[in-house]
Amino acid sequence: MGTPDFILELRKTAGHQLLFLPGVSAVVFDDRGRVLLGKRADNGLWAVVGGIVDPGEQPADAVVREVYEETAVRCVPERILLVETLRKPVVYPNGDTCQYMDVAFRCRAVGGEARVNDDESTEVGWFEVDRLPEMKRFSYLRIEKALAEEPTWFRTTATS
């Protein structure tokens, strides 16, 4: 889907200045234990599926929507894996700057056939967790947390 309409509208007055935005990411497993990944059109790297939460939208609904929009896979969120503000803002080729607060979910696929379903990915596929393609640390961390039976992980800034 690309940039949501509400962001395009904001950019008319905000220009390229930093926007702090809520995001979601999904580690989706099928019934064989494989993880769903998309090869991003913007940087050519494989990654877990993710996107921006629309105004008034619940994060769990946003993650289901994003997975379907990008991969045509229907999923059900099972638990929150982590909550994290990404350390560095993203500067897009047009100069727009955003920093994201990501809520990552472990999800279970319940239908659909994995395929490229929009212009954000060039490929979509299921991968064995011990045979993952090269990705950024962002995706590896989320998959690691999805495989662990641990409480929700979050980053803190320690003060003494």
Side-chain angles (χ1 to χ4, degrees):
M1 176 181 158
T3 306
D5 290 340
F6 84 94
I7 300 291
L8 296 174
E9 204 54 40
L10 274 172
R11 287 290 180 204
K12 288 180 182 176
T13 56
H16 299 300
Q17 72 179 311
L18 175 68
L19 295 180
F20 184 70
L21 298 171
V24 291
S25 55
V27 180
V28 183
F29 291 104
D30 68 4
D31 58 1
R32 293 173 45 193
R34 300 176 301 172
V35 66
L36 180 65
L37 301 174
K39 192 170 193 180
R40 295 177 55 101
D42 60 354
N43 64 17
L45 294 175
W46 288 96
V48 297
V49 176
I52 297 170
V53 180
D54 289 335
E57 186 178 33
Q58 294 299 323
D61 294 332
V63 82
V64 169
R65 175 183 53 77
E66 287 289 342
V67 169
Y68 183 75
E69 283 178 359
E70 294 183 27
T71 70
V73 170
R74 298 280 183 196
C75 71
V76 174
E78 295 181 322
R79 67 181 170 97
I80 293 175
L81 302 172
L82 63 83
V83 177
E84 172 184 43
T85 295
L86 304 184
R87 290 184 174 185
K88 294 183 180 180
V90 177
V91 180
Y92 292 96
N94 70 352
D96 287 353
T97 305
C98 299
Q99 189 168 21
Y100 296 96
M101 194 269 312
D102 182 57
V103 179
F105 290 83
R106 177 186 168 116
C107 301
R108 178 175 35 90
V110 293
E113 293 293 323
R115 64 179 169 83
V116 173
N117 205 34
D118 68 9
D119 60 357
E120 293 184 53
S121 301
T122 58
E123 294 179 58
V124 169
W126 293 102
F127 290 84
E128 301 291 339
V129 294
D130 60 349
R131 292 191 177 138
L132 296 172
E134 184 176 340
M135 299 180 287
K136 289 188 175 183
R137 178 74 183 131
F138 176 96
S139 292
Y140 287 124
L141 175 63
R142 281 145 182 79
I143 294 168
E144 173 188 313
K145 296 299 178 190
L147 292 169
E149 292 300 325
E150 300 174 342
T152 302
W153 180 88
F154 51 91
R155 186 182 307 278
T156 63
T157 304
T159 55
S160 305

